[in-house]
Amino acid sequence: MITLTADNFEERVLAAQEPVLVDFWAEWCPPCKMVAPVLEEIEAELGLTIGKLDTDQHPEIQARYGVMSLPTLLLFENGQPVRQVVGARPKRVLVRELGLT
């Protein structure tokens, strides 16, 4: 997984040629920690690029996309968010809700 920051967000997400799933998370968030291994499995199985953005370190990006709850997963295609999932979910549910099947 890619660690996203204000310095690389545009290059790694907005300018990416392939879809990128952004995990908006925080260290203090238990559901964020629950979903992390699920995201690792999805990344390995589907070859999807996944980036993690620590909202405590980058609140300006969190605010830009209206992220109010953690974890929030935003799937970006062609620099635009196209799907959103809020909260931890089982892998099969995440894959379905993100349209990855």
Side-chain angles (χ1 to χ4, degrees), residues 19-101:
V20 179
L21 182 63
V22 178
D23 174 18
F24 290 83
W25 73 286
E27 186 64 40
W28 50 263
C29 168
C32 297
K33 293 178 182 182
M34 289 171 46
V35 80
V38 174
L39 295 177
E40 289 175 8
E41 287 180 28
I42 290 172
E43 183 178 48
E45 291 173 13
L46 302 179
L48 179 66
T49 300
I50 299 178
K52 295 181 70 66
L53 183 98
D54 186 332
T55 57
D56 287 339
Q57 293 181 12
H58 303 286
E60 70 283 359
I61 298 173
Q62 174 186 2
R64 182 185 320 160
Y65 293 101
V67 173
M68 303 296 287
S69 297
L70 299 179
T72 291
L73 306 172
L74 284 179
L75 182 64
F76 283 79
E77 292 180 2
N78 300 315
Q80 297 297 317
V82 295
R83 293 193 188 254
Q84 175 178 306
V85 175
V86 178
R89 306 270 199 291
K91 181 172 71 172
R92 69 184 190 324
V93 176
L94 274 180
V95 168
R96 185 181 70 241
E97 289 183 0
L98 291 169
L100 302 174
T101 55

